[in-house]
């Protein structure tokens, strides 16, 4: 099943900016999909279509294989299914305490207090923020805020989580904590879509990658499929993951015998190098 699909969607902002051009995007159930693109490519605009915040100028958005409806009741339903974590947690966190923030979504869904408390506890536990219930969100670090924002979405138990640049602005530890949480959620069956411009992170967690540039999807496939098309990657002002770049240089400049495809992560490179020493 496709949890989210867009068919030929185009979106023009009221000022005339054509931000999406005939975008076809699919995230199937249980997958971790990355939308990779430089700043201004259209990533946030596309995400805002997934739960009906924006309505395409033309084309169709489908959720769980059905066209998204734009009536109030339809939008309420779809927003429980598709949880979006925005890039800047300050746009999402507004309650005086962490607990109230995470409880906001489930309370709005009309759940009873006992269930809300259970969900808040579960969600904070999953993101490693148990014990912070009474803290005001603005006293937290960037990474902690992000984790609370994720908990707020998790507490609504969506079918899919969509995260706009979940690691941007975080230090390496904060970023890897977020990725570990997302990896774990995905292992437990959650479908996840994330946007990023960080090419080093993509092969670590994504099984499917879409590259967007100037409002168009210019490539899709597994990390190996998309990163083997170096020309397209560079045309979108992106680059190869550092490890793949190193292998490319070792092969081209130093004639070391590495077969393609180039490894994309340290783990893959390590295996390949050890193998080459065996011969
Ligand atoms: P990304 O998330 O990949 O950085 P965006 O979706 O934010 O890209 O932006 C895509 C394009 O749409 C850019 O050219 C941007 O300037 C434009 N854009 C974004 N928001 C608006 C808006 N509210 N009004 C007009 N143009 C916008």
């Amino acid at each position: 099943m496709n949890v989210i699909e867009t068919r030929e969607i185009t979106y023009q902002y009221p000022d005339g900016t054509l931000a999406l051009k005939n975008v076809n995007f699919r995230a199937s159930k249980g997958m971790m999909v990355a939308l990779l693109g430089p700043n201004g490519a259209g990533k946030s605009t596309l995400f805002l279509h997934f739960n009906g915040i924006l309505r395409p100028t033309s084309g169709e958005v489908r959720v769980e294989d059905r066209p998204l409806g734009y009536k109030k009741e339809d939008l309420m339903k779809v927003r429980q299914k598709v949880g979006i974590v925005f890039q800047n947690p300050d746009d999402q966190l507004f309650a005086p305490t962490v607990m109230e923030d995470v409880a906001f979504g489930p309370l709005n869904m009309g759940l009873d207090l006992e269930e809300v408390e259970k969900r808040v506890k579960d969600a904070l536990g999953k993101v490693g923020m148990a014990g912070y219930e009474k803290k005001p969100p603005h006293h937290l670090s960037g990474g902690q805020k992000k984790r609370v924002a994720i908990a707020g979405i998790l507490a609504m138990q969506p079918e899919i989580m969509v995260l706009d640049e979940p690691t941007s602005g975080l230090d390496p530890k904060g970023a890897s904590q977020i990725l570990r949480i997302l990896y774990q959620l995905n292992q437990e069956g959650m479908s996840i879509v994330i946007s990023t411009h960080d090419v080093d992170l993509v092969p670590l967690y994504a099984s499917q990658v879409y590259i967007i540039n100037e409002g168009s999807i210019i490539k899709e496939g597994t990390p190996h499929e998309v990163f083997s098309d170096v020309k397209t990657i560079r045309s979108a002002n992106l680059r190869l993951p550092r490890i793949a770049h190193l292998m490319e240089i070792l092969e081209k400049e130093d004639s070391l015998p590495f077969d393609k495809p180039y490894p994309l992560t340290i783990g893959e490179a390590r295996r390949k190098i050890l193998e080459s020493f065996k011969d």
Side-chain angles (χ1 to χ4, degrees):
M1 179 175 68
N2 292 317
V3 204
I4 290 192
E5 182 180 0
T6 69
R7 291 189 182 169
E8 296 288 325
I9 66 169
T10 290
Y11 184 76
Q12 188 161 31
Y13 278 105
D15 73 352
T17 307
L18 192 54
L20 297 176
K21 301 168 197 163
N22 304 100
V23 168
N24 291 305
F25 176 93
R26 264 194 314 268
S28 16
K29 197 171 169 58
M31 297 275 274
M32 175 100 88
V33 182
L35 177 65
L36 176 65
N39 287 334
K43 301 183 295 297
S44 308
T45 306
L46 180 59
F47 281 6
L48 293 173
H49 282 79
F50 291 167
N51 71 357
I53 294 175
L54 293 181
R55 189 171 181 167
T57 310
S58 64
E60 183 179 68
V61 180
R62 296 167 72 87
V63 172
E64 293 186 323
D65 292 333
R66 285 157 65 176
L68 196 157
Y70 293 87
K71 290 199 209 88
K72 208 171 158 204
E73 314 85 82
D74 295 330
L75 289 174
M76 291 245 300
K77 265 191 224 147
V78 83
R79 283 174 195 167
Q80 286 172 22
K81 281 196 181 142
V82 181
I84 301 190
V85 179
F86 293 103
Q87 187 169 355
N88 181 357
D90 294 324
D91 293 342
Q92 199 153 343
L93 305 176
F94 52 85
T97 65
V98 164
M99 158 105 93
E100 287 166 274
D101 234 310
V102 179
F104 181 80
L107 280 175
N108 248 2
M109 287 163 66
L111 300 170
D112 64 51
L113 276 182
E114 203 180 328
E115 174 68 15
V116 172
E117 271 176 26
K118 187 176 160 298
R119 286 188 179 204
V120 171
K121 190 161 177 264
D122 272 8
L124 285 174
K126 283 194 168 149
V127 300
M129 288 298 286
Y132 287 82
E133 289 79 357
K134 298 208 167 71
K135 277 241 182 193
H138 59 272
H139 286 177
L140 302 175
S141 72
Q144 291 172 330
K145 280 186 193 169
K146 202 79 162 190
R147 285 189 274 148
V148 172
I150 293 174
I153 298 298
L154 272 183
M156 291 193 276
Q157 297 184 349
E159 296 296 323
I160 183 162
M161 271 181 67
V162 178
L163 301 100
D164 199 357
E165 303 261 0
T167 58
S168 77
L170 302 183
D171 60 21
K173 188 174 166 209
S176 74
Q177 279 172 332
I178 298 288
L179 288 175
R180 264 204 311 270
I181 291 165
L182 297 181
Y183 181 79
Q184 184 58 35
L185 289 171
N186 183 242
Q187 291 295 102
E188 290 166 13
M190 176 76 79
S191 314
I192 295 178
V193 179
I194 71 165
S195 73
T196 185
H197 56 259
D198 189 334
V199 292
D200 290 304
L201 294 181
V202 167
L204 288 174
Y205 52 74
S207 43
Q208 189 73 11
V209 187
Y210 283 80
I211 300 186
I212 185 167
N213 191 33
E214 295 177 357
S216 300
I217 299 289
I218 55 169
K219 188 89 189 168
E220 65 175 280
T222 63
H224 274 293
E225 283 163 354
V226 300
F227 287 117
S228 64
D229 185 354
V230 182
K231 221 168 121 198
T232 300
I233 293 281
R234 292 191 172 133
S235 76
N237 291 323
L238 297 166
R239 58 170 176 80
L240 287 178
R242 294 258 184 242
I243 290 291
H245 193 193
L246 169 66
M247 297 308 235
E248 188 188 31
I249 292 170
L250 285 171
E251 193 199 357
K252 288 204 178 130
E253 308 287 327
D254 306 305
S255 310
L256 284 187
F258 292 120
D259 299 337
K260 287 193 179 125
Y262 295 128
L264 303 175
T265 63
I266 289 180
E268 264 186 81
R270 185 176 171 218
R271 279 194 296 279
K272 229 169 181 167
I273 290 170
L274 288 175
E275 262 169 37
S276 75
F277 275 109
K278 267 190 214 145
D279 303 336

